[in-house]
Amino acid sequence: MAATSSSAAAASAAGASAEAGAAMPDNFVWQDREIRFDVPPPELSLRPGEKIIDAIDSIEDTKGNNGERGTLSITNLRLIWVSQKKANINLSVGYNCVIDITIHTANSRLRGHTQALYILTKFNNSRFEFIFTNLVKNSPRLFTTV
């Protein structure tokens, strides 16, 4: 799926952070402080001390990749969404970037009008909104875990 214009702007911001991160030593912790888009899958690897709390299959990134089924991993530092079709379509959202989390109705290509998790974030003086929809009908797991 094509990225939305907000995803494109976010990708350029993430690219700048990835370039800045490249100059940092390996022990630099960026995972809880940054938002990164469409990074090479090895960059999504867990860092020492990072633990997966839950991993939920059949989650749609409704705003950035509407119609794309993926897996949402919740760690102690960040949220990681990865497309099930293409691992290079992904997202890492550090918890220090999160401003607000709410539940609203969203329009999903795969589920239609349904309840979705809205996450409002701020990174590098830009605000981003992420919308995640659980594609498993009547499953509250997305809302209870996050």
Side-chain angles (χ1 to χ4, degrees):
M1 292 285 139
T4 63
S5 59
S6 64
S7 292
S12 67
S17 71
E19 291 170 10
M24 296 291 178
D26 287 340
N27 61 357
F28 174 73
V29 180
W30 62 266
Q31 289 82 353
D32 66 332
R33 299 181 182 124
E34 294 184 10
I35 298 172
R36 294 192 180 183
F37 299 83
D38 301 333
V39 298
E43 281 192 39
L44 296 177
S45 298
L46 301 182
R47 65 169 288 107
E50 185 176 16
K51 306 285 187 222
I52 291 184
I53 296 166
D54 200 357
I56 309 170
D57 291 327
S58 297
I59 301 294
E60 177 188 58
D61 174 10
T62 308
K63 187 164 187 178
N65 295 287
N66 200 335
E68 189 80 29
R69 185 179 300 264
T71 300
L72 183 68
S73 298
I74 297 98
T75 79
N76 55 328
L77 298 177
R78 59 188 166 153
L79 298 173
I80 304 167
W81 181 86
V82 180
S83 167
Q84 289 178 348
K85 288 183 181 176
K86 292 183 178 180
N88 63 338
I89 297 176
N90 56 59
L91 171 63
S92 175
V93 179
Y95 291 141
N96 283 333
C97 299
V98 174
I99 296 171
D100 192 28
I101 299 176
T102 57
I103 298 171
H104 296 290
T105 301
N107 190 18
S108 159
R109 285 188 187 167
L110 300 175
R111 284 274 318 266
H113 286 289
T114 186
Q115 292 289 303
L117 186 71
Y118 281 65
I119 301 175
L120 180 62
T121 63
K122 185 175 181 182
F123 177 63
N124 281 349
N125 296 318
S126 297
R127 288 181 182 255
F128 305 102
E129 180 181 57
F130 302 99
I131 304 172
F132 296 105
T133 303
N134 193 336
L135 301 175
V136 177
K137 204 170 195 174
N138 298 322
S139 174
R141 195 162 156 217
L142 173 63
F143 309 122
T144 57
T145 301
V146 177

